[in-house]
Amino acid sequence: MEKLVSNWYNVRPVPEDCIYPSEKRPGNIHVPKGEVIPVIDLSEADKGDRNRTLVIQKILKAAQEFGFFQVVNHGVSENVMDETTSVVREFFQMPDESKQHLFTQDFSSKCIYFTSCENYANEKVHMWRDFLQHQCHPLDTWRHFWPESPARYRDIVGACSVGIKNLASRILGLISEGLSLKSGYFDDELSSCMVLTALHYPPCPEPSLALGTCPHDDANLITFVLQDEVSGLQIFKDDQWIGVDPIPHAFVVNVGCLLQVISNDKLRSVKHRVVTNASRFRSSSAFFVTASEGSVIEPAKGVVNEHNPAVYRPFTPKEFCMKFFENDADTEATFNHFKA
């Protein structure tokens, strides 16, 4: 467990294997004030057909222009959100001996606790973060693999997982309606899996040299992020980084690569990163909703016609992920491999 950043984060200078090349360093981590990530009040969709249409239009516009948006009044209780943030932070603050059994380099394990990412042994530069990762849907299948401590972890994270799965179905339903797809298009296999990655970012003595999470796209369908009050998440748009400021009791939602393919590039996955800071711990919980490994991913027939031919050929999520990691998470190269 000596590799965990949280066990040595206050060393100075930053270790060489955590310093990014000059062209990839965050530099000035304080992004200039510019465009603001759209915030969508989901409760408006329940106030008549006209309002529902307006919410759908806002979601599609945000997903097209930013690849990201935040949702408020989404149906997941504020108490569940607060307790999830609290219990995740509590997990990372437990003494090492309470987490030792989860620390592993075997990433086929059902529940893992480690530093940087699954490819730690082959990384040229390590990210400034520790993480806990496990499957969380279907709940009854996976819950017994989760941490037993803190004692309330399974109940609280279980309640949040159920809430987010319902929220995902709701938003995917609105997206489906906006793309003129059949009702329930994203149900079943296309959204049957969900993974939680709980992330812990200790303070970094030189934030301009390291990254909490390096620039990347998400290789899944759609992602829901519960941020704490500490800023750090940024997206790349129009050749600049834009901060995604934390909003109390909001979820950050972003389009994954598979949803970009299904929409035939009408919606887009966007690069994002997390920067560190010199004085505060930051935690977040990212829920990755995705399709089953053997399902078929392709542009939906409802978005393809003679004027808009399919951009991609059919493939499975397993094939996409294998090529994604083979290309060292280079999204453009991976998309090009699956072009029609």
Side-chain angles (χ1 to χ4, degrees), residues 143-190:
R143 179 175 155 148
H144 61 282
F145 293 112
W146 298 0
E148 296 181 76
S149 298
R152 60 200 185 107
Y153 182 92
R154 292 182 177 180
D155 286 342
I156 291 170
V157 175
C160 192
S161 298
V162 170
I164 289 177
K165 189 62 175 65
N166 291 335
L167 175 58
S169 296
R170 188 177 176 193
I171 289 180
L172 288 169
L174 294 170
I175 289 174
S176 176
E177 191 174 329
L179 295 175
S180 299
L181 305 180
K182 65 180 182 181
S183 176
Y185 183 88
F186 290 101
D187 293 347
D188 302 323
E189 283 194 339
L190 289 181

mmCIF file of all heavy atoms in Angstrom, residues 143-190:
data_model
loop_
_atom_site.group_PDB
_atom_site.id
_atom_site.type_symbol
_atom_site.label_atom_id
_atom_site.label_comp_id
_atom_site.label_asym_id
_atom_site.label_seq_id
_atom_site.Cartn_x
_atom_site.Cartn_y
_atom_site.Cartn_z
ATOM 1 N N ARG A 143 -23.428 -6.315 -4.557
ATOM 2 C CA ARG A 143 -23.320 -5.612 -3.286
ATOM 3 C C ARG A 143 -22.448 -6.345 -2.255
ATOM 4 O O ARG A 143 -21.723 -5.704 -1.486
ATOM 5 C CB ARG A 143 -24.721 -5.380 -2.727
ATOM 6 C CG ARG A 143 -24.751 -4.674 -1.409
ATOM 7 C CD ARG A 143 -26.175 -4.384 -1.010
ATOM 8 N NE ARG A 143 -26.274 -4.261 0.435
ATOM 9 C CZ ARG A 143 -27.132 -3.467 1.054
ATOM 10 N NH1 ARG A 143 -27.962 -2.730 0.353
ATOM 11 N NH2 ARG A 143 -27.177 -3.411 2.353
ATOM 12 N N HIS A 144 -22.491 -7.668 -2.221
ATOM 13 C CA HIS A 144 -21.718 -8.403 -1.209
ATOM 14 C C HIS A 144 -20.214 -8.357 -1.462
ATOM 15 O O HIS A 144 -19.429 -8.775 -0.604
ATOM 16 C CB HIS A 144 -22.198 -9.854 -1.104
ATOM 17 C CG HIS A 144 -22.046 -10.646 -2.365
ATOM 18 N ND1 HIS A 144 -22.915 -10.517 -3.435
ATOM 19 C CD2 HIS A 144 -21.130 -11.579 -2.727
ATOM 20 C CE1 HIS A 144 -22.547 -11.339 -4.399
ATOM 21 N NE2 HIS A 144 -21.464 -11.997 -4.003
ATOM 22 N N PHE A 145 -19.782 -7.828 -2.607
ATOM 23 C CA PHE A 145 -18.345 -7.652 -2.876
ATOM 24 C C PHE A 145 -17.843 -6.290 -2.382
ATOM 25 O O PHE A 145 -16.641 -6.051 -2.347
ATOM 26 C CB PHE A 145 -18.058 -7.763 -4.377
ATOM 27 C CG PHE A 145 -18.294 -9.127 -4.961
ATOM 28 C CD1 PHE A 145 -19.329 -9.345 -5.864
ATOM 29 C CD2 PHE A 145 -17.476 -10.197 -4.622
ATOM 30 C CE1 PHE A 145 -19.549 -10.595 -6.414
ATOM 31 C CE2 PHE A 145 -17.684 -11.455 -5.169
ATOM 32 C CZ PHE A 145 -18.729 -11.658 -6.065
ATOM 33 N N TRP A 146 -18.728 -5.395 -2.023
ATOM 34 C CA TRP A 146 -18.358 -4.034 -1.652
ATOM 35 C C TRP A 146 -17.682 -3.996 -0.288
ATOM 36 O O TRP A 146 -17.767 -4.953 0.492
ATOM 37 C CB TRP A 146 -19.589 -3.143 -1.600
ATOM 38 C CG TRP A 146 -20.328 -2.980 -2.887
ATOM 39 C CD1 TRP A 146 -20.027 -3.532 -4.110
ATOM 40 C CD2 TRP A 146 -21.525 -2.225 -3.080
ATOM 41 N NE1 TRP A 146 -20.949 -3.152 -5.043
ATOM 42 C CE2 TRP A 146 -21.877 -2.356 -4.444
ATOM 43 C CE3 TRP A 146 -22.304 -1.454 -2.250
ATOM 44 C CZ2 TRP A 146 -23.002 -1.734 -4.978
ATOM 45 C CZ3 TRP A 146 -23.425 -0.826 -2.765
ATOM 46 C CH2 TRP A 146 -23.777 -0.966 -4.126
ATOM 47 N N PRO A 147 -17.017 -2.883 0.033
ATOM 48 C CA PRO A 147 -16.391 -2.752 1.355
ATOM 49 C C PRO A 147 -17.411 -2.949 2.478
ATOM 50 O O PRO A 147 -18.542 -2.473 2.398
ATOM 51 C CB PRO A 147 -15.863 -1.309 1.346
ATOM 52 C CG PRO A 147 -15.670 -0.986 -0.093
ATOM 53 C CD PRO A 147 -16.761 -1.699 -0.814
ATOM 54 N N GLU A 148 -16.988 -3.660 3.517
ATOM 55 C CA GLU A 148 -17.827 -3.841 4.701
ATOM 56 C C GLU A 148 -17.679 -2.673 5.664
ATOM 57 O O GLU A 148 -18.493 -2.493 6.572
ATOM 58 C CB GLU A 148 -17.481 -5.147 5.398
ATOM 59 C CG GLU A 148 -17.766 -6.381 4.558
ATOM 60 C CD GLU A 148 -17.429 -7.661 5.303
ATOM 61 O OE1 GLU A 148 -18.216 -8.053 6.187
ATOM 62 O OE2 GLU A 148 -16.379 -8.261 5.004
ATOM 63 N N SER A 149 -16.612 -1.909 5.495
ATOM 64 C CA SER A 149 -16.367 -0.715 6.316
ATOM 65 C C SER A 149 -16.147 0.473 5.389
ATOM 66 O O SER A 149 -15.491 0.333 4.356
ATOM 67 C CB SER A 149 -15.141 -0.915 7.207
ATOM 68 O OG SER A 149 -15.350 -1.974 8.096
ATOM 69 N N PRO A 150 -16.699 1.628 5.764
ATOM 70 C CA PRO A 150 -17.551 1.901 6.925
ATOM 71 C C PRO A 150 -18.841 1.065 6.910
ATOM 72 O O PRO A 150 -19.313 0.661 5.843
ATOM 73 C CB PRO A 150 -17.878 3.384 6.779
ATOM 74 C CG PRO A 150 -16.816 3.931 5.865
ATOM 75 C CD PRO A 150 -16.476 2.823 4.933
ATOM 76 N N ALA A 151 -19.377 0.828 8.089
ATOM 77 C CA ALA A 151 -20.519 -0.086 8.227
ATOM 78 C C ALA A 151 -21.717 0.339 7.391
ATOM 79 O O ALA A 151 -22.492 -0.493 6.929
ATOM 80 C CB ALA A 151 -20.907 -0.184 9.705
ATOM 81 N N ARG A 152 -21.883 1.642 7.163
ATOM 82 C CA ARG A 152 -23.041 2.138 6.413
ATOM 83 C C ARG A 152 -22.786 2.226 4.919
ATOM 84 O O ARG A 152 -23.683 2.615 4.155
ATOM 85 C CB ARG A 152 -23.443 3.511 6.956
ATOM 86 C CG ARG A 152 -22.365 4.557 6.849
ATOM 87 C CD ARG A 152 -22.592 5.737 7.791
ATOM 88 N NE ARG A 152 -21.580 6.765 7.546
ATOM 89 C CZ ARG A 152 -21.816 7.917 6.951
ATOM 90 N NH1 ARG A 152 -23.028 8.208 6.539
ATOM 91 N NH2 ARG A 152 -20.850 8.791 6.764
ATOM 92 N N TYR A 153 -21.573 1.844 4.454
ATOM 93 C CA TYR A 153 -21.203 2.018 3.042
ATOM 94 C C TYR A 153 -22.196 1.317 2.112
ATOM 95 O O TYR A 153 -22.697 1.910 1.151
ATOM 96 C CB TYR A 153 -19.790 1.485 2.793
ATOM 97 C CG TYR A 153 -19.317 1.674 1.361
ATOM 98 C CD1 TYR A 153 -18.601 2.803 0.991
ATOM 99 C CD2 TYR A 153 -19.610 0.735 0.364
ATOM 100 C CE1 TYR A 153 -18.182 2.997 -0.321
ATOM 101 C CE2 TYR A 153 -19.200 0.925 -0.947
ATOM 102 C CZ TYR A 153 -18.496 2.044 -1.289
ATOM 103 O OH TYR A 153 -18.091 2.227 -2.591
ATOM 104 N N ARG A 154 -22.479 0.051 2.387
ATOM 105 C CA ARG A 154 -23.317 -0.716 1.451
ATOM 106 C C ARG A 154 -24.734 -0.168 1.358
ATOM 107 O O ARG A 154 -25.311 -0.099 0.260
ATOM 108 C CB ARG A 154 -23.326 -2.188 1.860
ATOM 109 C CG ARG A 154 -21.976 -2.874 1.664
ATOM 110 C CD ARG A 154 -22.016 -4.343 2.030
ATOM 111 N NE ARG A 154 -20.727 -4.986 1.775
ATOM 112 C CZ ARG A 154 -20.471 -6.275 2.009
ATOM 113 N NH1 ARG A 154 -21.421 -7.056 2.498
ATOM 114 N NH2 ARG A 154 -19.275 -6.774 1.754
ATOM 115 N N ASP A 155 -25.295 0.227 2.481
ATOM 116 C CA ASP A 155 -26.663 0.763 2.449
ATOM 117 C C ASP A 155 -26.719 2.089 1.702
ATOM 118 O O ASP A 155 -27.601 2.302 0.856
ATOM 119 C CB ASP A 155 -27.180 0.952 3.877
ATOM 120 C CG ASP A 155 -27.535 -0.368 4.552
ATOM 121 O OD1 ASP A 155 -27.707 -1.369 3.833
ATOM 122 O OD2 ASP A 155 -27.628 -0.392 5.791
ATOM 123 N N ILE A 156 -25.791 2.970 2.012
ATOM 124 C CA ILE A 156 -25.831 4.312 1.426
ATOM 125 C C ILE A 156 -25.501 4.280 -0.060
ATOM 126 O O ILE A 156 -26.220 4.839 -0.895
ATOM 127 C CB ILE A 156 -24.870 5.252 2.179
ATOM 128 C CG1 ILE A 156 -25.409 5.509 3.585
ATOM 129 C CG2 ILE A 156 -24.697 6.570 1.426
ATOM 130 C CD1 ILE A 156 -24.436 6.211 4.496
ATOM 131 N N VAL A 157 -24.395 3.630 -0.425
ATOM 132 C CA VAL A 157 -24.004 3.568 -1.837
ATOM 133 C C VAL A 157 -25.023 2.748 -2.630
ATOM 134 O O VAL A 157 -25.284 3.031 -3.806
ATOM 135 C CB VAL A 157 -22.576 3.012 -1.989
ATOM 136 C CG1 VAL A 157 -22.213 2.826 -3.457
ATOM 137 C CG2 VAL A 157 -21.575 3.957 -1.322
ATOM 138 N N GLY A 158 -25.635 1.760 -1.986
ATOM 139 C CA GLY A 158 -26.692 0.995 -2.650
ATOM 140 C C GLY A 158 -27.876 1.881 -3.000
ATOM 141 O O GLY A 158 -28.403 1.823 -4.119
ATOM 142 N N ALA A 159 -28.290 2.720 -2.047
ATOM 143 C CA ALA A 159 -29.417 3.630 -2.300
ATOM 144 C C ALA A 159 -29.074 4.622 -3.403
ATOM 145 O O ALA A 159 -29.912 4.924 -4.274
ATOM 146 C CB ALA A 159 -29.782 4.370 -1.009
ATOM 147 N N CYS A 160 -27.835 5.129 -3.400
ATOM 148 C CA CYS A 160 -27.425 6.074 -4.442
ATOM 149 C C CYS A 160 -27.370 5.386 -5.804
ATOM 150 O O CYS A 160 -27.784 5.962 -6.817
ATOM 151 C CB CYS A 160 -26.063 6.676 -4.087
ATOM 152 S SG CYS A 160 -25.599 8.095 -5.098
ATOM 153 N N SER A 161 -26.891 4.152 -5.838
ATOM 154 C CA SER A 161 -26.804 3.404 -7.097
ATOM 155 C C SER A 161 -28.178 3.196 -7.713
ATOM 156 O O SER A 161 -28.367 3.362 -8.925
ATOM 157 C CB SER A 161 -26.128 2.045 -6.858
ATOM 158 O OG SER A 161 -24.813 2.198 -6.391
ATOM 159 N N VAL A 162 -29.148 2.839 -6.883
ATOM 160 C CA VAL A 162 -30.515 2.648 -7.379
ATOM 161 C C VAL A 162 -31.067 3.967 -7.921
ATOM 162 O O VAL A 162 -31.682 4.014 -8.997
ATOM 163 C CB VAL A 162 -31.426 2.099 -6.258
ATOM 164 C CG1 VAL A 162 -32.890 2.133 -6.696
ATOM 165 C CG2 VAL A 162 -31.019 0.671 -5.892
ATOM 166 N N GLY A 163 -30.829 5.050 -7.187
ATOM 167 C CA GLY A 163 -31.306 6.355 -7.629
ATOM 168 C C GLY A 163 -30.690 6.768 -8.952
ATOM 169 O O GLY A 163 -31.385 7.293 -9.838
ATOM 170 N N ILE A 164 -29.398 6.531 -9.107
ATOM 171 C CA ILE A 164 -28.722 6.937 -10.345
ATOM 172 C C ILE A 164 -29.146 6.045 -11.508
ATOM 173 O O ILE A 164 -29.301 6.525 -12.634
ATOM 174 C CB ILE A 164 -27.196 6.922 -10.152
ATOM 175 C CG1 ILE A 164 -26.800 8.073 -9.238
ATOM 176 C CG2 ILE A 164 -26.466 7.033 -11.495
ATOM 177 C CD1 ILE A 164 -25.343 8.132 -8.900
ATOM 178 N N LYS A 165 -29.360 4.761 -11.255
ATOM 179 C CA LYS A 165 -29.831 3.891 -12.341
ATOM 180 C C LYS A 165 -31.192 4.367 -12.846
ATOM 181 O O LYS A 165 -31.447 4.394 -14.056
ATOM 182 C CB LYS A 165 -29.922 2.440 -11.859
ATOM 183 C CG LYS A 165 -30.199 1.441 -12.987
ATOM 184 C CD LYS A 165 -29.086 1.442 -14.010
ATOM 185 C CE LYS A 165 -29.264 0.371 -15.072
ATOM 186 N NZ LYS A 165 -30.448 0.566 -15.932
ATOM 187 N N ASN A 166 -32.063 4.763 -11.933
ATOM 188 C CA ASN A 166 -33.368 5.292 -12.344
ATOM 189 C C ASN A 166 -33.206 6.617 -13.089
ATOM 190 O O ASN A 166 -33.898 6.873 -14.084
ATOM 191 C CB ASN A 166 -34.267 5.485 -11.120
ATOM 192 C CG ASN A 166 -34.683 4.168 -10.497
ATOM 193 O OD1 ASN A 166 -34.713 3.138 -11.168
ATOM 194 N ND2 ASN A 166 -35.005 4.183 -9.211
ATOM 195 N N LEU A 167 -32.298 7.457 -12.597
ATOM 196 C CA LEU A 167 -32.043 8.734 -13.265
ATOM 197 C C LEU A 167 -31.487 8.512 -14.671
ATOM 198 O O LEU A 167 -31.868 9.205 -15.623
ATOM 199 C CB LEU A 167 -31.067 9.564 -12.433
ATOM 200 C CG LEU A 167 -30.593 10.895 -13.029
ATOM 201 C CD1 LEU A 167 -31.765 11.819 -13.321
ATOM 202 C CD2 LEU A 167 -29.593 11.567 -12.084
ATOM 203 N N ALA A 168 -30.585 7.534 -14.803
ATOM 204 C CA ALA A 168 -30.017 7.218 -16.120
ATOM 205 C C ALA A 168 -31.118 6.795 -17.091
ATOM 206 O O ALA A 168 -31.153 7.236 -18.253
ATOM 207 C CB ALA A 168 -28.969 6.111 -15.992
ATOM 208 N N SER A 169 -32.031 5.954 -16.622
ATOM 209 C CA SER A 169 -33.139 5.512 -17.480
ATOM 210 C C SER A 169 -33.993 6.698 -17.919
ATOM 211 O O SER A 169 -34.435 6.773 -19.069
ATOM 212 C CB SER A 169 -34.003 4.491 -16.733
ATOM 213 O OG SER A 169 -33.271 3.322 -16.444
ATOM 214 N N ARG A 170 -34.186 7.625 -16.988
ATOM 215 C CA ARG A 170 -35.005 8.794 -17.298
ATOM 216 C C ARG A 170 -34.340 9.678 -18.344
ATOM 217 O O ARG A 170 -34.968 10.095 -19.329
ATOM 218 C CB ARG A 170 -35.240 9.572 -16.012
ATOM 219 C CG ARG A 170 -36.232 10.705 -16.128
ATOM 220 C CD ARG A 170 -36.419 11.337 -14.764
ATOM 221 N NE ARG A 170 -37.303 12.498 -14.818
ATOM 222 C CZ ARG A 170 -37.445 13.366 -13.832
ATOM 223 N NH1 ARG A 170 -36.751 13.194 -12.717
ATOM 224 N NH2 ARG A 170 -38.256 14.391 -13.954
ATOM 225 N N ILE A 171 -33.060 9.973 -18.154
ATOM 226 C CA ILE A 171 -32.365 10.854 -19.097
ATOM 227 C C ILE A 171 -32.170 10.168 -20.442
ATOM 228 O O ILE A 171 -32.347 10.790 -21.503
ATOM 229 C CB ILE A 171 -31.021 11.312 -18.497
ATOM 230 C CG1 ILE A 171 -31.289 12.296 -17.361
ATOM 231 C CG2 ILE A 171 -30.137 11.955 -19.570
ATOM 232 C CD1 ILE A 171 -30.054 12.819 -16.676
ATOM 233 N N LEU A 172 -31.845 8.887 -20.431
ATOM 234 C CA LEU A 172 -31.706 8.161 -21.698
ATOM 235 C C LEU A 172 -33.045 8.093 -22.432
ATOM 236 O O LEU A 172 -33.089 8.133 -23.666
ATOM 237 C CB LEU A 172 -31.154 6.759 -21.451
ATOM 238 C CG LEU A 172 -29.676 6.706 -21.052
ATOM 239 C CD1 LEU A 172 -29.299 5.304 -20.576
ATOM 240 C CD2 LEU A 172 -28.771 7.118 -22.220
ATOM 241 N N GLY A 173 -34.129 8.026 -21.673
ATOM 242 C CA GLY A 173 -35.456 8.054 -22.297
ATOM 243 C C GLY A 173 -35.726 9.379 -22.982
ATOM 244 O O GLY A 173 -36.271 9.428 -24.092
ATOM 245 N N LEU A 174 -35.330 10.473 -22.339
ATOM 246 C CA LEU A 174 -35.495 11.797 -22.945
ATOM 247 C C LEU A 174 -34.608 11.941 -24.183
ATOM 248 O O LEU A 174 -35.031 12.505 -25.204
ATOM 249 C CB LEU A 174 -35.168 12.884 -21.921
ATOM 250 C CG LEU A 174 -36.121 12.993 -20.722
ATOM 251 C CD1 LEU A 174 -35.555 13.943 -19.665
ATOM 252 C CD2 LEU A 174 -37.513 13.450 -21.165
ATOM 253 N N ILE A 175 -33.381 11.437 -24.102
ATOM 254 C CA ILE A 175 -32.481 11.483 -25.260
ATOM 255 C C ILE A 175 -33.058 10.654 -26.405
ATOM 256 O O ILE A 175 -33.050 11.072 -27.572
ATOM 257 C CB ILE A 175 -31.077 10.976 -24.876
ATOM 258 C CG1 ILE A 175 -30.383 12.011 -23.973
ATOM 259 C CG2 ILE A 175 -30.234 10.697 -26.121
ATOM 260 C CD1 ILE A 175 -29.052 11.542 -23.410
ATOM 261 N N SER A 176 -33.568 9.471 -26.069
ATOM 262 C CA SER A 176 -34.182 8.610 -27.086
ATOM 263 C C SER A 176 -35.336 9.323 -27.784
ATOM 264 O O SER A 176 -35.448 9.304 -29.016
ATOM 265 C CB SER A 176 -34.681 7.319 -26.414
ATOM 266 O OG SER A 176 -35.366 6.506 -27.333
ATOM 267 N N GLU A 177 -36.156 9.987 -26.987
ATOM 268 C CA GLU A 177 -37.287 10.735 -27.551
ATOM 269 C C GLU A 177 -36.785 11.863 -28.442
ATOM 270 O O GLU A 177 -37.314 12.106 -29.539
ATOM 271 C CB GLU A 177 -38.127 11.284 -26.403
ATOM 272 C CG GLU A 177 -39.462 11.856 -26.811
ATOM 273 C CD GLU A 177 -40.295 12.242 -25.602
ATOM 274 O OE1 GLU A 177 -40.158 11.597 -24.537
ATOM 275 O OE2 GLU A 177 -41.086 13.205 -25.726
ATOM 276 N N GLY A 178 -35.738 12.553 -28.014
ATOM 277 C CA GLY A 178 -35.194 13.659 -28.797
ATOM 278 C C GLY A 178 -34.563 13.224 -30.092
ATOM 279 O O GLY A 178 -34.556 13.979 -31.082
ATOM 280 N N LEU A 179 -34.038 12.000 -30.121
ATOM 281 C CA LEU A 179 -33.420 11.460 -31.344
ATOM 282 C C LEU A 179 -34.434 10.718 -32.212
ATOM 283 O O LEU A 179 -34.061 10.124 -33.230
ATOM 284 C CB LEU A 179 -32.268 10.515 -30.983
ATOM 285 C CG LEU A 179 -31.062 11.150 -30.293
ATOM 286 C CD1 LEU A 179 -30.052 10.060 -29.895
ATOM 287 C CD2 LEU A 179 -30.379 12.183 -31.200
ATOM 288 N N SER A 180 -35.696 10.743 -31.795
ATOM 289 C CA SER A 180 -36.790 10.061 -32.523
ATOM 290 C C SER A 180 -36.567 8.558 -32.606
ATOM 291 O O SER A 180 -36.855 7.922 -33.635
ATOM 292 C CB SER A 180 -36.948 10.647 -33.931
ATOM 293 O OG SER A 180 -37.265 12.031 -33.857
ATOM 294 N N LEU A 181 -36.071 7.977 -31.511
ATOM 295 C CA LEU A 181 -35.896 6.532 -31.437
ATOM 296 C C LEU A 181 -37.123 5.915 -30.771
ATOM 297 O O LEU A 181 -37.893 6.608 -30.109
ATOM 298 C CB LEU A 181 -34.638 6.183 -30.645
ATOM 299 C CG LEU A 181 -33.337 6.817 -31.148
ATOM 300 C CD1 LEU A 181 -32.166 6.391 -30.266
ATOM 301 C CD2 LEU A 181 -33.072 6.445 -32.600
ATOM 302 N N LYS A 182 -37.266 4.622 -30.895
ATOM 303 C CA LYS A 182 -38.429 3.952 -30.302
ATOM 304 C C LYS A 182 -38.355 4.050 -28.773
ATOM 305 O O LYS A 182 -37.276 4.147 -28.187
ATOM 306 C CB LYS A 182 -38.483 2.496 -30.732
ATOM 307 C CG LYS A 182 -37.329 1.644 -30.233
ATOM 308 C CD LYS A 182 -37.465 0.210 -30.696
ATOM 309 C CE LYS A 182 -36.315 -0.653 -30.138
ATOM 310 N NZ LYS A 182 -36.406 -2.054 -30.578
ATOM 311 N N SER A 183 -39.507 4.034 -28.142
ATOM 312 C CA SER A 183 -39.574 4.109 -26.687
ATOM 313 C C SER A 183 -38.812 2.948 -26.059
ATOM 314 O O SER A 183 -38.922 1.801 -26.505
ATOM 315 C CB SER A 183 -41.041 4.069 -26.251
ATOM 316 O OG SER A 183 -41.139 4.054 -24.853
ATOM 317 N N GLY A 184 -38.007 3.242 -25.048
ATOM 318 C CA GLY A 184 -37.248 2.190 -24.378
ATOM 319 C C GLY A 184 -36.014 1.737 -25.127
ATOM 320 O O GLY A 184 -35.462 0.674 -24.824
ATOM 321 N N TYR A 185 -35.560 2.525 -26.091
ATOM 322 C CA TYR A 185 -34.433 2.099 -26.934
ATOM 323 C C TYR A 185 -33.206 1.731 -26.107
ATOM 324 O O TYR A 185 -32.498 0.776 -26.433
ATOM 325 C CB TYR A 185 -34.073 3.208 -27.930
ATOM 326 C CG TYR A 185 -32.961 2.801 -28.888
ATOM 327 C CD1 TYR A 185 -33.276 2.158 -30.086
ATOM 328 C CD2 TYR A 185 -31.627 3.029 -28.583
ATOM 329 C CE1 TYR A 185 -32.273 1.750 -30.959
ATOM 330 C CE2 TYR A 185 -30.616 2.630 -29.451
ATOM 331 C CZ TYR A 185 -30.945 1.994 -30.630
ATOM 332 O OH TYR A 185 -29.947 1.582 -31.482
ATOM 333 N N PHE A 186 -32.920 2.487 -25.045
ATOM 334 C CA PHE A 186 -31.707 2.264 -24.264
ATOM 335 C C PHE A 186 -31.900 1.307 -23.091
ATOM 336 O O PHE A 186 -30.967 1.088 -22.319
ATOM 337 C CB PHE A 186 -31.167 3.601 -23.743
ATOM 338 C CG PHE A 186 -30.608 4.487 -24.820
ATOM 339 C CD1 PHE A 186 -31.353 5.540 -25.322
ATOM 340 C CD2 PHE A 186 -29.345 4.255 -25.340
ATOM 341 C CE1 PHE A 186 -30.837 6.358 -26.318
ATOM 342 C CE2 PHE A 186 -28.828 5.069 -26.337
ATOM 343 C CZ PHE A 186 -29.575 6.121 -26.823
ATOM 344 N N ASP A 187 -33.112 0.774 -22.952
ATOM 345 C CA ASP A 187 -33.355 -0.163 -21.857
ATOM 346 C C ASP A 187 -32.634 -1.480 -22.114
ATOM 347 O O ASP A 187 -32.130 -1.735 -23.204
ATOM 348 C CB ASP A 187 -34.855 -0.411 -21.704
ATOM 349 C CG ASP A 187 -35.600 0.826 -21.241
ATOM 350 O OD1 ASP A 187 -34.926 1.782 -20.805
ATOM 351 O OD2 ASP A 187 -36.850 0.834 -21.324
ATOM 352 N N ASP A 188 -32.631 -2.311 -21.125
ATOM 353 C CA ASP A 188 -32.066 -3.660 -21.201
ATOM 354 C C ASP A 188 -30.569 -3.636 -21.473
ATOM 355 O O ASP A 188 -29.826 -2.982 -20.761
ATOM 356 C CB ASP A 188 -32.825 -4.490 -22.259
ATOM 357 C CG ASP A 188 -34.315 -4.569 -21.954
ATOM 358 O OD1 ASP A 188 -34.650 -4.656 -20.762
ATOM 359 O OD2 ASP A 188 -35.120 -4.519 -22.884
ATOM 360 N N GLU A 189 -30.106 -4.313 -22.528
ATOM 361 C CA GLU A 189 -28.673 -4.550 -22.724
ATOM 362 C C GLU A 189 -27.849 -3.276 -22.885
ATOM 363 O O GLU A 189 -26.695 -3.233 -22.483
ATOM 364 C CB GLU A 189 -28.447 -5.445 -23.947
ATOM 365 C CG GLU A 189 -28.744 -6.908 -23.702
ATOM 366 C CD GLU A 189 -28.199 -7.787 -24.812
ATOM 367 O OE1 GLU A 189 -27.956 -7.257 -25.921
ATOM 368 O OE2 GLU A 189 -28.013 -8.996 -24.575
ATOM 369 N N LEU A 190 -28.404 -2.241 -23.474
ATOM 370 C CA LEU A 190 -27.622 -1.034 -23.747
ATOM 371 C C LEU A 190 -27.285 -0.237 -22.489
ATOM 372 O O LEU A 190 -26.399 0.620 -22.519
ATOM 373 C CB LEU A 190 -28.337 -0.140 -24.765
ATOM 374 C CG LEU A 190 -28.364 -0.659 -26.200
ATOM 375 C CD1 LEU A 190 -29.083 0.334 -27.109
ATOM 376 C CD2 LEU A 190 -26.955 -0.922 -26.730
#
